[in-house]
Amino acid sequence: MKILAIDIGTGTQDIFLYDPRLDIENGYKMVVPSPTLQVNRRLRQAARDGRSVVLTGCLMGGGPSTWGVDQLLKSGQTVYASPDAARSLNDDLAVVRQMGVTLVSDDEVAALPEQVQRITLRDFDFQAIARGFEQFGVPLDDLGAVAIGVFDHGNAPAGISDRQFRFDYLDRRIRTGNAAQTESALRNPADVLSCFAFLREKIPPVMTRLMAVADSAAGVDAPLVVMDTAPAAVWGASFDEKIRQCRHNILVNIGNMHTLAFRLGPQGVEGLFEHHTGFLDAVTLDGLVRSLADGTIKHADVFDQHGHGALMYTDQPFDLSDDFGVSITGPRRGLMAGSTLVPYYPAPFGDMMLAGCFGLLAAVGQLLPDWRAEIGRSLMNEPVQRAPWDLPL
């Protein structure tokens, strides 16, 4: 049996098919446009064609899809949306209406003219991924688990900043993870990040995007693990050969939309900050990382600059000259090209873009005990000494 891991970001969705019979470097992989980017392209084409659209499906990632809706509305076309799909644009449907989107029921969707283009929203499209693998003779009919990573702000109550709501959630999860930190089967300080991973039936109801991903996977006959994408990327990056033995490290995931930095030590997460990547450059990042290392970073230092915030769980400074000091992963890691910190750029198992998938794989090993030993061996890079052509048909 195999494990399908999908790390869904703003620019790409990174897909890895884990087979325990193979060295992990021989696993099959795809890096393709993200679901929200695909929706954006369809919306922009509708604007060029002068076509109205109706959005159906469920809540999914915003960003490019929201920008595509704005462009289509500005072109003079009508955008209809079912309530579930509309929450991809904003959790508050009143705000969606203010954007100019027309909310419609299922019956009203069915009654719309054929020339109104139908676009189904969802983060996880198993059939599309399965077709991609099948084109190369790799059926996905023997999956032992599916693991999916997405970024989820959560459904903030009215009057509560979604940035603060997200950061309060991070704080609760980290405190839970630090309290439960033990010597794990993988013997990796970053294993504490498993606190951000959930089996399908354990997803917190306030994490509505994670819940929607689980709904999208309803037809997949395999255990489902979902996880926040940035901790998954940091966890995966920690399996790089040069840093996986480090007892202290600051690992920064610079995503297309969000940047999340963890200071990790033997007791778990010692501190973190999360910011919007668009507000950052090398100088700003250097300052935030240095203050995370010396323990002086404050929540307001980030939140007041339109980020999510910062937290410290220790007052002990960390010497950046220890171990590898600062490690950078993520598709926007080029932002640190001018850094004075001389960061290290991990490439776990030779592939930085799949760091999130490797973190998701580690999460499966933590949450599904039947997989723990095999995944642990793979992530510790123990050789299998078997080639793909040697596998039984």
Side-chain angles (χ1 to χ4, degrees):
M1 301 183 81
K2 306 179 186 71
I3 295 172
L4 180 66
I6 311 103
D7 180 24
I8 300 172
T10 304
T12 64
Q13 54 179 323
D14 312 320
I15 304 167
F16 180 68
L17 186 62
Y18 168 71
D19 189 328
R21 300 171 298 177
L22 296 173
D23 291 325
I24 199 165
E25 290 87 350
N26 266 320
Y28 301 128
K29 63 190 75 173
M30 296 189 290
V31 177
V32 297
S34 69
T36 187
L37 186 57
Q38 294 177 52
V39 170
N40 172 274
R41 290 172 174 172
R42 295 183 67 186
L43 289 166
R44 287 189 295 154
Q45 185 61 53
R48 288 191 290 268
D49 295 341
R51 295 185 65 180
S52 295
V53 305
V54 56
L55 306 176
T56 61
C58 62
L59 184 152
M60 68 174 294
S65 54
T66 303
W67 306 331
V69 166
D70 287 339
Q71 182 174 340
L72 188 57
L73 290 169
K74 289 175 181 176
S75 74
Q77 303 306 312
T78 302
V79 177
Y80 304 95
S82 68
D84 285 344
R87 290 187 176 90
S88 303
L89 309 176
N90 196 290
D91 288 318
D92 187 342
L93 295 183
V95 174
V96 177
R97 291 188 184 93
Q98 291 170 5
M99 292 172 59
V101 175
T102 302
L103 298 185
V104 290
S105 66
D106 290 342
D107 289 341
E108 290 171 318
V109 169
L112 289 172
E114 289 186 5
Q115 60 265 34
V116 176
Q117 183 176 349
R118 272 68 173 170
I119 298 179
T120 301
L121 303 190
R122 59 181 171 224
D123 277 314
F124 177 54
D125 187 344
F126 178 74
Q127 295 303 321
I129 294 171
R131 286 194 301 271
F133 278 107
E134 286 168 1
Q135 292 296 313
F136 296 94
V138 182
L140 299 184
D141 55 3
D142 60 343
L143 293 177
V146 174
I148 305 171
V150 296
F151 180 94
D152 193 349
H153 270 105
N155 187 10
I160 302 297
S161 161
D162 62 355
R163 292 183 292 136
Q164 187 62 57
F165 186 80
R166 155 84 176 176
F167 215 66
D168 289 343
Y169 166 78
L170 295 181
D171 184 29
R172 291 194 302 272
R173 296 312 307 163
I174 289 167
R175 291 183 185 278
T176 298
N178 282 350
Q181 173 75 338
T182 58
E183 188 70 13
S184 73
L186 300 181
R187 299 181 179 88
N188 182 344
D191 287 351
V192 68
L193 299 178
S194 65
C195 64
F196 292 103
F198 305 95
L199 292 170
R200 184 198 305 264
E201 60 274 14
K202 298 291 187 179
I203 301 171
V206 295
M207 305 313 288
T208 49
R209 189 177 176 194
L210 293 180
M211 295 287 288
V213 165
D215 290 342
S216 297
V220 179
D221 187 20
L224 176 70
V225 172
V226 296
M227 186 174 184
D228 194 280
T229 183
V234 167
W235 195 1
S238 74
F239 292 106
D240 177 278
E241 289 186 6
K242 290 187 176 181
I243 65 173
R244 65 184 176 187
Q245 301 302 324
C246 296
R247 302 304 292 167
H248 278 94
N249 207 299
I250 291 179
L251 274 163
V252 187
N253 179 68
I254 307 179
N256 284 306
M257 294 287 286
H258 297 91
T259 293
L260 180 57
F262 285 105
R263 175 178 151 180
L264 297 169
Q267 304 306 312
V269 177
E270 298 179 346
L272 76 154
F273 69 81
E274 186 171 62
H275 213 310
H276 290 107
T277 304
F279 289 99
L280 298 174
D281 55 24
V283 174
T284 305
L285 268 171
D286 276 2
L288 290 172
V289 169
R290 290 186 188 279
S291 60
L292 180 62
D294 63 28
T296 62
I297 195 168
K298 299 293 189 297
H299 179 68
D301 296 340
V302 179
F303 190 84
D304 291 350
Q305 298 300 317
H306 309 288
H308 289 155
L311 287 167
M312 289 300 304
Y313 300 95
T314 178
D315 57 3
Q316 297 299 310
F318 165 49
D319 187 347
L320 288 175
S321 65
D322 289 350
D323 292 327
F324 281 89
V326 180
S327 300
I328 307 293
T329 191
R332 296 289 305 282
R333 62 182 188 167
L335 278 178
M336 291 293 275
S339 172
T340 60
L341 296 172
V342 192
Y344 175 67
Y345 296 94
F349 311 105
D351 199 329
M352 181 277 296
M353 283 300 290
L354 289 189
C357 292
F358 300 137
L360 289 168
L361 188 59
V364 173
Q366 291 286 314
L367 298 183
L368 297 177
D370 289 347
W371 279 101
R372 188 165 300 164
E374 284 185 314
I375 290 174
R377 286 192 292 268
S378 294
L379 292 178
M380 289 298 101
N381 221 15
E382 295 182 13
V384 177
Q385 297 180 341
R386 195 168 192 177
W389 52 85
D390 289 332
L391 296 181
L393 297 177

